[in-house]
Amino acid sequence: MTGHEKEKKVESFFNPYIKRINVKLAKPSLEDQKDDLSRLIEDLDLDKDTKIPAGLLRTLPDFLERFDYGISCTLRKNEIIDFHEHNAKSRLYGMAVDIGTTTIAAYLFDLQSGKNLDVYSSLNPQRAFGSDVISRINHTITQKDGLTELQGLLVKELNHIIEIFCKKNSINSSDLYEIVVVGNPVIMHLLLGIPCKNIANAPYIPSFTSKMEIKAAELGLNINPEAYLVTLPLISGYIGADTVAAVLACGMAEDDEISLLLDIGTNGEIVLGNREELLSCSTAAGPAFEGVGISFGIGGVDGAIDHVDLKKTPIYTTIGGTAPKGICGSGIVDTVAELLKYKIIDNTGMFSEEYGKKHFILDKKSNIYVTQQDIRQIQLAKAAISAGIKVLVKHMQISLDKIKNVYLAGGFGNYINIESAAIIGLIPPELKKRVKLIGNGAGTGAIMCLLSEDMMKKACLIKDSIRYLELSNLAAFSKKFINGMYF
Amino acid sequence: MTGHEKEKKVESFFNPYIKRINVKLAKPSLEDQKDDLSRLIEDLDLDKDTKIPAGLLRTLPDFLERFDYGISCTLRKNEIIDFHEHNAKSRLYGMAVDIGTTTIAAYLFDLQSGKNLDVYSSLNPQRAFGSDVISRINHTITQKDGLTELQGLLVKELNHIIEIFCKKNSINSSDLYEIVVVGNPVIMHLLLGIPCKNIANAPYIPSFTSKMEIKAAELGLNINPEAYLVTLPLISGYIGADTVAAVLACGMAEDDEISLLLDIGTNGEIVLGNREELLSCSTAAGPAFEGVGISFGIGGVDGAIDHVDLKKTPIYTTIGGTAPKGICGSGIVDTVAELLKYKIIDNTGMFSEEYGKKHFILDKKSNIYVTQQDIRQIQLAKAAISAGIKVLVKHMQISLDKIKNVYLAGGFGNYINIESAAIIGLIPPELKKRVKLIGNGAGTGAIMCLLSEDMMKKACLIKDSIRYLELSNLAAFSKKFINGMYF
């Protein structure tokens, strides 16, 4: 989307549940003795059950007096959360945050204009306790204060981002009124300090899956004292708020046509369906597509080999065009596809007898190559994803050609060569023409919820309508997984 | 009412909004992967939007594990507020408190049986800052931390009562799950720490009048950390939650017949009407009926002259039958009535020429007597009340005989001789046969709300349906007040 298209799209649903209303109240008299709060509520035509925190009500009489009954009232749904003088110049800001296992992406918005003011990304400080969620769960089990510690790290990092946003954009942290957060189930539990130990072992039970709304101050976040942090709902122990947000972002839950959503990261989350039915599963694809566990694997940074074409010279390109430092997810997918195309590996993934070597050199100078073991990692990962897709398709009793859209979400999806993904069998080849890259669908969905009460409601409806298939006890999955190892 | 009748009456509306439900949850499995919270909510058939504080959710997984999915869940409306093991022996308790300007009456209830376990009354520690609400408001205006100070005194006293209740009845303070409080508007503001300074001066505006629900812990009350303190709604700056509770207690808001409620304390609150219309006003009757401002006036304590009959010897009785120490409200009303009956004073309140003295001795030995000034105080007070009644009757465009019940609330109402009250004109003489004493109607109403969600809703409906007449700008009131000075 162009910037202009993006703005037009935001306009179409912009309807935030945080609003500021200016009002000049009639002054009380012996003929009009309404109490201050009722005066405000009636004049603003608010719901009679409008709530107000006691701490804020304590400031109301002075506000009315000081500003001669001209007041600016900040509302969040049916709760009054702040007062300012009439026509106060300060604005309302909100943040959408996608907390990944590895990276955090934060977006700052003006809640009155819907304008995106800033973006910031950083690394999840919990990395120090393991690169995957299981090692973090283990930390909460084995260390007495492990859960509090991991929660504290996220809160500290969010406060750090808040500080940067405020400084860079010259805004006051008390003008930040909402944080909408998405992430996988374990991250959501850790952020709220809620035990997640049962997600680690069968039957993989999360403590909660519903949308949570908590006063940000209660979590120790330095924004407006009456502001909330909202976590979008989860589906199961392995399908999180990030997937719900991505489903919202791609619009598949409102479509008559059937779509397939693939969010490929450390796990591969797959959602299949349309407005009538949504099925999901999570496959332990492993982090190979993120470059992890690959001999020369690195993330999508400058110098990462991101595309490979054996007919070209050099046979690769790198991100940023700099000298190669390693190979990222899209690069390894391309490599395997090319090796298959030129029969350097066979359909079992073995280097062929004709080829006669046990590795494939991508760049001699920097000595970057792909090993048999690397190819096995890719096989495992793509077998998991493709088996997951097949199980969902079978469960829905449809044929592949009924799938009209394939949405690829996640950073990996932005760089991948779809042709290569189809060749290695990560994406069903017959669907390759229907692939659409949606970028960080999780972040986009979080932003949509921040900017629109309707979208927030839709996210909750999506949560209710997605059925989760547990693959670990499905014989059909195991079989499809083994078969899926073939190229 | 006898004890038995009282229990029968409680049964008729007993339906508390705090409940404990025992449930044995199905254990999760790969075929049933619901998250802990959803498992609980669905099994208890609770509303899907049931809330749970984050702090409590953090304990849920351990509870389920420790007690093998047998759990006891304490609910307050649509919020989960506590967990115990299955069939936990501890019970649910609640308190209703009537905080008067002078005295506090607290009632301890078992919320599972509806049984009244204990009663405690103490003096309002704010007395040190003045006997009336105006002097307390002034303290909040003139002293920087005056409001916090007065709030702190009430919170401390409530904690003191909680401690006594818990000790005496061998209950754990964390088993106390709700406190329902009534009181006049100023006391309600002070308890919640909300400014009330505008109640002191015209146009007498309170900061709020709606029912307030606040986490008790937020106020510093030492009961269950997730419990609430609820203040019943107010009507205006001078008609409080105590009056709303008394209207609820006497049932006049549901009656087809028209009733008159008189709550005579420092102020006289008057409510007139039926299920179709309710009118109220507050008259600055002054504290004469509580014995304040009367030469030998004292409260309703042992030794207080409570009844006077000039034909008997001695001409008085005292509370507890002990030697006379002073004269309480009912005693002074009797005295004035007797003085009128025997023409010792005339209809302007003056000691008659025939009588020839300027005071009337009640007891020679202890030298207790009534002065001309004392009679003036009673005249002022009864003139205010009777003018208030007349204004309401006129506003409702009814004749006095349409009033079928006169409910007398407050401690004073329990001792007063109705015949005497009619003679001095405090109660319209034609209604004296219709007087019913309802005791501490405010306390009774608070108890009803503690024990029944329906009653709590009714209290809010009563708040909405009572119209308040401000007497201070009514010429009709001034005229009736002056005329009402005559006996």
Side-chain angles (χ1 to χ4, degrees), chain A residues 235-249:
Chain A
I235 305 297
S236 72
Y238 284 95
I239 300 265
D242 44 2
T243 303
V244 169
V247 170
L248 176 70

Side-chain angles (χ1 to χ4, degrees), chain B residues 3-74:
Chain B
H4 181 68
E5 280 172 332
K6 254 187 195 164
E7 269 171 35
K8 262 193 91 171
K9 210 189 153 196
V10 166
E11 263 171 43
S12 72
F13 62 76
F14 185 61
N15 173 31
Y17 47 86
I18 294 179
K19 296 186 174 82
R20 182 168 287 167
I21 312 180
N22 280 295
V23 63
K24 269 266 177 202
L25 299 176
K27 283 186 209 176
S29 66
L30 285 173
E31 288 72 37
D32 173 11
Q33 293 182 303
K34 270 196 298 283
D35 62 277
D36 294 332
L37 182 58
S38 302
R39 182 171 303 275
L40 185 67
I41 287 175
E42 286 178 25
D43 219 284
L44 291 178
D45 205 18
L46 301 179
D47 193 272
K48 241 194 58 135
D49 294 329
T50 299
K51 292 184 297 178
I52 179 168
L56 202 57
L57 179 54
R58 290 182 185 120
T59 70
L60 179 58
D62 276 344
F63 254 104
L64 292 178
E65 201 170 313
R66 191 142 42 103
F67 299 112
D68 206 28
Y69 288 81
I71 196 167
S72 165
C73 182
T74 307

Side-chain angles (χ1 to χ4, degrees), chain A residues 29 31 33 35-37 48 57-58 61-62 65 192-193 195 197 203 206-209 212 464 468 470 473, chain B residues 29 31 33 35-37 48 57-58 61-62 65 192-193 195 197 203 206-209 212 464 468 470 473:
Chain A
S29 66
E31 288 73 37
Q33 292 182 304
D35 62 278
D36 294 333
L37 182 58
K48 242 195 56 136
L57 179 54
R58 290 183 185 120
D62 276 345
E65 201 170 312
L192 302 181
K197 61 178 163 49
S207 295
F208 69 99
T209 54
M212 299 294 275
D464 290 339
Y468 175 69
E470 176 60 46
N473 63 336
Chain B
S29 66
E31 288 72 37
Q33 293 182 303
D35 62 277
D36 294 332
L37 182 58
K48 241 194 58 135
L57 179 54
R58 290 182 185 120
D62 276 344
E65 201 170 313
L192 302 180
K197 61 179 164 51
S207 295
F208 70 99
T209 54
M212 300 294 273
D464 290 339
Y468 175 70
E470 176 60 47
N473 64 336

Side-chain angles (χ1 to χ4, degrees), chain B residues 81-216:
Chain B
I81 57 169
D82 210 358
F83 294 127
H84 284 83
E85 63 181 306
H86 195 252
N87 288 326
K89 273 181 197 145
S90 71
R91 295 184 69 84
L92 306 170
Y93 303 98
M95 265 169 72
V97 190
D98 170 27
I99 307 183
T101 311
T102 310
T103 57
I104 298 178
Y107 309 86
L108 177 68
F109 277 82
D110 180 322
L111 295 181
Q112 282 160 305
S113 67
K115 221 175 134 177
N116 179 209
L117 301 179
D118 209 346
V119 181
Y120 185 81
S121 77
S122 62
L123 291 168
N124 186 331
Q126 297 175 333
R127 274 167 16 263
F129 297 90
S131 63
D132 55 62
V133 293
I134 298 300
S135 56
R136 299 196 199 157
I137 296 177
N138 281 339
H139 185 73
T140 71
I141 297 171
T142 56
Q143 302 300 311
K144 199 172 157 285
D145 295 319
L147 178 55
T148 315
E149 187 182 1
L150 290 181
Q151 180 189 27
L153 285 173
L154 281 186
V155 169
K156 198 177 155 198
E157 182 59 26
L158 287 179
N159 276 332
H160 175 64
I161 296 173
I162 289 162
E163 211 185 311
I164 289 174
F165 274 163
C166 288
K167 215 168 175 179
K168 234 178 99 189
N169 298 277
S170 302
I171 65 179
N172 200 313
S173 63
S174 65
D175 293 333
L176 260 168
Y177 285 97
E178 185 95 354
I179 303 183
V180 174
V181 184
V182 297
N184 67 50
V186 173
I187 295 286
M188 294 295 90
H189 280 67
L190 293 176
L191 173 64
L192 302 180
I194 293 171
C196 50
K197 61 179 164 51
N198 294 330
I199 297 179
N201 302 303
Y204 319 109
I205 305 299
S207 295
F208 70 99
T209 54
S210 47
K211 178 185 78 171
M212 300 294 273
E213 306 200 344
I214 294 185
K215 288 267 173 184

Side-chain angles (χ1 to χ4, degrees), chain B residues 265-295:
Chain B
T266 305
N267 282 304
E269 288 95 22
I270 310 171
V271 184
L272 176 70
N274 62 1
R275 60 189 302 165
E276 280 169 23
E277 186 181 9
L278 287 166
L279 277 181
S280 70
C281 68
S282 173
T283 62
F289 292 126
E290 292 182 319
V292 178
I294 303 295
S295 307

Side-chain angles (χ1 to χ4, degrees), chain A residues 40 52 56 59-60 63 71-73 80-85:
Chain A
L40 185 67
I52 180 169
L56 202 57
T59 70
L60 179 58
F63 254 103
I71 196 166
S72 166
C73 182
I80 297 170
I81 56 169
D82 210 359
F83 294 127
H84 284 83
E85 63 181 305

